[in-house]
């Protein structure tokens, strides 16, 4: 398919020319972060909010300059929340929180029902404190501190990569592992199920299923997925996704890649990302260490063949049908620079086309290596955004790329 008749939706690789992407511009939810809650909310510091927004605007600006359509979660949500059925679904999911109790739950439903779509969309992401909510006849409310949350904020909403992932022409709304992020998928799910733009798109997964996060899913090439299994995605989640992808029919091989269960490697896309058709930026120690189980199915996912494990890069080259995948290392050969730049999302790049990638400017050594290898690196600032431990790939969910064959 050529660029002119590219599908309205669809992602068959990490590098096909990017056409449309979902972002979330960080807002008031970042103002909820304090030194007491930042750990539980999965931030390594307290971001300067205005600066984080300016950095995010630079990111979005870079995408727009390169012809990418930028869709914002806030606007899509507000558009959905014009629909009574979407408002009802969101109210039911928020007020089902057992911590609220019957009275506060009922009062909260009435409060949400009075909000205009845009304000409701903002409250759902920014959260709501007791003092913002106002008076209540509930015991729960009486016993809360003024700054305690009636609705928890979602400061990680800007990492749109994790709560949904496109596989061919279908979307998987994922099942997030960390309590601080679980409610994100009620919002992304709402968008994909209710927004007229996406309502007809086939849905491959849902948040009630085994844990699976989009940052762990790499579309290595048409028909081939790599799924990291570690702190977030479970083996059961990877297996379920594989079955569903085989059943849907666009995927022939799923490589399941165990990754260390620690914060520095929370998702596979913190360890490696594709920057070209057969080139990857990767944390050097992973080159030899990463292994993969190769999953295939001869009957559309009803039964699975599981082979391996073998070295990930060999399994990937076999599955894609190339001699080898060329690796560009994060940082230098010295362990310290590599570790620092891996931590700062040096290999969490977003490809706009084969050989063109957006990267944080701070990872100077990795970026220089990429440039030396002939990759065009478009840098963006990320000093504040980075405190959430996610880079350009984490902060974007592509819904349309040109087909790999034509990219
Ligand atoms: N794919 C990614 O690596 N996403 C970054 C997620 C960062 C977020 N603070 C988290 O811990 O989930």
């Amino acid at each position: 398919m050529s660029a002119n008749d590219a599908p309205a939706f669809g992602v068959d690789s990490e590098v096909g020319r990017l056409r449309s992407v979902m972002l979330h511009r960080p807002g008031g939810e970042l103002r909820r972060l304090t030194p007491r809650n930042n750990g539980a909310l999965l931030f390594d510091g307290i971001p300067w909010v205005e600066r984080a927004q300016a950095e995010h605007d630079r990111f979005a600006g870079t995408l727009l300059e390169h012809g990418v359509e930028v869709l914002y979660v806030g606007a899509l949500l507000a558009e959905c929340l014009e629909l009574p059925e979407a408002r009802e679904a969101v109210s039911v999911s928020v007020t089902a929180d057992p911590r609220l109790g019957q009275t506060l739950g009922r009062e909260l439903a009435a409060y949400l029902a009075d909000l205009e779509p845009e304000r409701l969309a903002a409250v759902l992401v920014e959260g709501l404190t007791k003092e913002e909510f106002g008076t209540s006849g509930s015991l729960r409310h009486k016993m809360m501190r003024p700054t305690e949350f009636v609705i928890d904020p979602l400061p990680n909403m800007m990492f749109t990569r994790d709560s949904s992932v496109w596989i061919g022409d279908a979307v998987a709304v994922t099942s997030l592992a960390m309590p601080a992020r679980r409610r994100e998928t009620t919002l992304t799910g709402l968008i994909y199920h209710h927004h007229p733009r996406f309502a007809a798109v086939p849905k491959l997964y849902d948040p009630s299923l085994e844990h699976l996060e989009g940052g762990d899913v790499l579309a290595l090439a048409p028909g081939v997925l790599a799924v990291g299994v570690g702190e977030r995605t479970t083996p059961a989640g990877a297996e379920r996704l594989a079955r569903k992808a085989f059943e849907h029919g666009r995927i022939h091989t799923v490589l399941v890649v165990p990754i260390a269960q620690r914060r520095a490697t929370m998702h596979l896309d913190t360890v490696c990302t594709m920057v070209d058709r057969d080139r990857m930026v990767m944390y050097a120690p992973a080159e030899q260490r990463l292994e993969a189980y190769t999953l295939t199915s001869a009957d559309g996912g009803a039964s699975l063949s599981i082979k391996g494990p073998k070295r990930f890069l060999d399994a990937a080259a076999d599955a894609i049908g190339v001699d080898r995948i060329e690796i560009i290392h994060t940082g230098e050969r010295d362990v310290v620079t590599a570790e620092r730049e891996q931590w700062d999302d040096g290999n969490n790049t977003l490809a706009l086309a084969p050989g063109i990638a957006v990267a944080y400017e701070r990872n100077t050594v990795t970026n220089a290596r990429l440039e030396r290898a002939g990759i065009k690196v478009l840098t963006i600032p990320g000093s504040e955004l980075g405190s959430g431990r996610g880079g350009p790939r984490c902060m974007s969910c592509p819904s349309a790329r040109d087909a790999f064959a034509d990219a």
Side-chain angles (χ1 to χ4, degrees), residues 16-305:
R17 182 167 287 281
L18 185 57
R19 297 292 177 187
S20 186
V21 79
M22 198 188 290
L23 305 186
H24 173 67
R25 183 177 194 262
E29 65 280 5
L30 292 191
R31 291 203 174 81
R32 308 296 200 180
L33 291 158
T34 69
R36 276 173 290 109
N37 69 16
N38 71 309
L41 291 175
L42 308 172
F43 269 69
D44 297 322
I46 310 295
W48 173 7
V49 179
E50 291 74 14
R51 184 60 64 84
Q53 289 175 323
E55 290 172 354
H56 197 271
D57 291 344
R58 286 278 297 280
F59 178 39
T62 302
L63 299 178
L64 289 166
E65 278 161 27
H66 286 79
V68 180
E69 177 191 38
V70 172
L71 303 172
Y72 282 104
V73 167
L76 294 170
L77 254 186
E79 283 158 15
C80 285
L81 293 168
E82 301 277 353
L83 304 171
E85 60 274 25
R87 294 181 73 97
E88 175 61 16
V90 104
S91 177
V92 168
S93 76
V94 171
T95 56
D97 181 346
R99 291 172 303 173
L100 295 171
Q102 278 179 303
T103 312
L104 187 52
R106 210 170 36 240
E107 292 167 346
L108 181 59
Y111 177 97
L112 297 177
D114 277 348
L115 299 180
E116 292 299 318
E118 259 179 45
R119 179 67 196 136
L120 178 54
V123 165
L124 291 169
V125 179
E126 293 174 10
L128 187 71
T129 61
K130 168 181 168 165
E131 59 191 358
E132 290 163 350
F133 176 70
T135 54
S136 157
S138 75
L139 175 64
R140 162 71 178 148
H141 187 272
K142 277 196 196 341
M143 297 181 72
M144 288 170 89
R145 282 174 284 106
T147 54
E148 215 172 312
F149 294 109
V150 175
I151 301 177
D152 289 331
L154 297 174
N156 293 288
M157 198 73 208
M158 67 175 167
F159 301 116
T160 51
R161 177 70 64 159
D162 299 323
S163 56
S164 65
V165 50
W166 285 71
I167 295 171
D169 64 340
V171 66
V173 176
T174 60
S175 166
L176 297 168
M178 307 304 262
R181 300 198 63 181
R182 295 228 175 105
R183 204 167 58 76
E184 287 175 36
T185 51
T186 63
L187 304 185
T188 40
L190 197 82
I191 291 172
Y192 287 119
H193 285 279
H194 291 278
H195 197 284
R197 186 180 170 116
F198 297 119
V201 171
K203 313 294 186 296
L204 276 193
Y205 211 84
D206 76 70
S208 67
L209 296 172
E210 298 85 356
H211 292 317
L212 168 80
E213 301 205 353
D216 277 316
V217 183
L218 306 190
L220 292 185
V224 183
L225 296 180
V227 182
V229 161
E231 186 184 78
R232 307 296 176 88
T233 297
T234 59
E239 186 178 324
R240 173 85 71 169
L241 179 73
R243 281 186 194 280
K244 286 186 174 281
F246 293 143
E247 191 184 316
H248 187 62
R250 302 288 181 99
I251 299 296
H252 59 75
T253 307
V254 175
L255 302 172
V256 176
V257 187
I259 48 176
Q261 298 212 16
R262 45 192 180 88
R263 181 144 179 81
T265 56
M266 70 181 103
H267 294 114
L268 183 57
D269 71 1
T270 64
V271 180
C272 58
T273 52
M274 301 296 292
V275 288
D276 202 353
R277 292 163 173 282
D278 53 2
R279 291 197 290 173
M280 237 181 200
V281 54
M282 183 181 260
Y283 183 47
E287 187 174 350
Q288 296 308 325
R289 262 188 232 152
L290 278 190
E291 295 193 317
Y293 293 88
T294 300
L295 275 54
T296 53
S297 177
D299 50 16
S303 59
L304 297 178
S305 149

Side-chain angles (χ1 to χ4, degrees), residues 323-339:
D323 288 342
R324 57 188 287 268
I325 295 177
E326 193 186 312
I327 296 302
I328 301 157
H329 287 141
T330 322
E332 263 310 337
R333 281 275 174 199
D334 78 279
V335 182
V336 173
T337 313
E339 204 176 343

